[in-house]
Amino acid sequence: MNVFRGLFINSWSSDVQLDGKTAIVTGANTGIGKETARDLAKRGARVILACRDMVKAEQAASDISREVENATVMARQLDLADTKSICDFAELIYNTEKSLHLLINNAGVAICPYSTTADGFETQFGVNHLGHFFLTFLLMDLLKHSAPSKVINVSSLAHSMGNIHFVDLNSKKSYHPVKAYVQSKLANVLFTRELATRVEETGVSVYAVDPGLVKTDLIRHMKKSLQFFVKTFGFLIKTPAEGAYTILYCALTPDLPTGAYYSNCALASCSRAANDDNTASRLWAASCHLLGIRWR
Ligand SMILES: NC(=O)c1ccc[n+]([C@@H]2O[C@H](COP(=O)([O-])OP(=O)(O)OC[C@H]3O[C@@H](n4cnc5c(N)ncnc54)[C@H](OP(=O)(O)O)[C@@H]3O)[C@@H](O)[C@H]2O)c1
């Protein structure tokens, strides 16, 4: 069985150290985000756990600090379903941090019942795409100032089932939880592509990552039958630490092509929709419009 499992799981390691570097990981209190934060802390980075629930965030920070000697790990409040919270978080970062070398846009919600964010966006599109789009917009000056720096957007292979429904981005006319999730994950790849073009020559690189199929709490809103499948066959699925590998690969490997999509610690092909420059630039304009920002 180990051989079978090995077919799906990459193993990867790097001895790169991150002393003097600062990283933000969104949704770092659990799952892939927590494992990513733990690894970055082991390498000597100053790591900010950007989480919506401060009790869980403090717990994660103390877990990491207990395990990693001399870790510099801080829990900070960030609710990506609320632009006010995103502004407050960014303001705190500008007031407390001199630099930012890694922004890891990892937090996500999947296949949940219909709900809206504080600003009235459909939750999956609002948190997974718009929240991270807005956060990156606000932190871009610090990323440029700290260059070379990287933005890593955690997407999914599921992006390949997605379309961007420009006539109904927020699923107001009709809502399907899977369609909304795959749209948000496609948006992560398109955002990566467009952002990389726009920040070319600034020293900021941008990557989209598929972490693989990973055993985490992401399934909490899914059908009981699917949850049962994941729990039963969990031993075939990546652990959260293994799910962090491709994020870490992009974070630590120098000179990777920017604007691209990575899976299993390698450059990978994304869907035709995710390669469409016209859709990427339309989505950029629509996202700015929804958020009421100008981002040239
Ligand atoms: N697991 C997989 O198989 C898989 C596959 C492909 C892609 N991914 C992607 O991997 C990323 C991490 O997912 P995971 O599997 O590690 O799931 P997870 O264990 O459920 O972690 C998701 C994290 O996002 C946070 N989050 C949710 N809504 C938020 C909000 N409004 N503001 C701030 N944080 C919020 C959660 O916080 P709470 O704990 O407070 O809810 C949690 O920390 C996601 O982007 C997901 O789409 C996962």
Side-chain angles (χ1 to χ4, degrees):
M1 196 50 82
N2 278 341
V3 174
F4 181 54
R5 186 166 183 259
L7 290 176
F8 296 94
I9 294 172
N10 51 299
S11 76
W12 176 81
S13 67
S14 160
D15 54 12
V16 169
Q17 284 295 308
L18 293 174
D19 303 280
K21 305 288 182 193
T22 300
I24 293 175
V25 184
T26 69
N29 55 281
T30 186
I32 298 165
K34 185 176 177 186
E35 292 307 322
T36 303
R38 190 196 311 271
D39 186 286
L40 297 174
K42 277 186 190 161
R43 294 171 193 278
R46 178 178 169 82
V47 186
I48 296 161
L49 313 182
C51 307
R52 62 175 162 178
D53 182 326
M54 283 308 283
V55 174
K56 292 187 201 170
E58 295 289 3
Q59 181 61 54
S62 84
D63 290 349
I64 295 173
S65 299
R66 208 177 316 113
E67 190 191 312
V68 181
E69 210 178 318
N70 299 323
T72 313
V73 184
M74 284 137 303
R76 299 282 183 258
Q77 220 269 329
L78 170 69
D79 184 356
L80 289 156
D82 184 351
T83 50
K84 162 92 174 55
S85 168
I86 302 171
C87 285
D88 290 348
F89 174 81
E91 192 180 348
L92 183 76
I93 295 300
Y94 277 101
N95 287 336
T96 55
E97 304 301 322
K98 288 193 205 77
S99 52
L100 175 61
H101 304 96
L102 290 168
L103 172 60
I104 301 184
N105 289 324
N106 160 80
V109 58
I111 321 199
C112 52
Y114 181 78
S115 63
T116 56
T117 67
D119 305 278
F121 308 132
E122 182 281 313
T123 296
Q124 298 188 76
F125 187 66
V127 170
N128 301 356
H129 170 59
L130 289 175
H132 283 126
F133 184 96
F134 190 46
L135 177 67
T136 309
F137 165 72
L138 294 175
L139 295 178
M140 187 45 72
D141 282 347
L142 190 56
L143 286 158
K144 285 183 182 168
H145 166 79
S146 316
S149 56
K150 296 181 175 188
V151 177
I152 298 174
N153 296 316
V154 182
S155 177
S156 168
L157 176 62
H159 85 272
S160 52
M161 295 188 291
N163 286 301
I164 303 294
H165 303 281
F166 283 105
V167 288
D168 190 21
L169 284 172
N170 281 301
S171 309
K172 285 189 176 145
K173 292 183 189 143
S174 79
Y175 179 70
H176 188 290
V178 175
K179 275 190 188 163
Y181 180 66
V182 296
Q183 170 178 261
S184 75
K185 293 288 117 181
L186 173 59
N188 294 152
V189 187
L190 291 164
F191 171 44
T192 300
R193 190 176 180 83
E194 184 70 20
L195 179 61
T197 311
R198 288 174 183 254
V199 298
E200 221 177 350
E201 313 287 327
T202 63
V204 183
S205 307
V206 196
Y207 309 100
V209 166
D210 161 36
L213 195 55
V214 187
K215 195 178 179 193
T216 65
D217 290 342
L218 196 68
I219 56 168
R220 58 171 82 74
H221 297 295
M222 292 180 194
K223 283 185 182 155
K224 292 279 173 265
S225 53
L226 197 57
Q227 290 192 18
F228 177 76
F229 175 84
V230 173
K231 279 174 190 154
T232 309
F233 294 100
F235 61 95
L236 294 175
I237 296 171
K238 290 182 183 184
T239 64
E242 289 164 339
Y245 283 161
T246 306
I247 299 172
L248 295 164
Y249 169 78
C250 288
L252 302 173
T253 310
D255 304 324
L256 289 177
T258 184
Y261 173 77
Y262 293 81
S263 184
N264 280 322
C265 298
L267 199 57
S269 304
C270 53
S271 68
R272 195 193 293 182
N275 270 318
D276 187 329
D277 287 335
N278 184 40
T279 312
S281 112
R282 266 185 87 189
L283 178 65
W284 184 282
S287 305
C288 288
H289 178 73
L290 286 167
L291 290 162
I293 57 172
R294 279 183 176 209
W295 191 0
R296 300 217 177 271

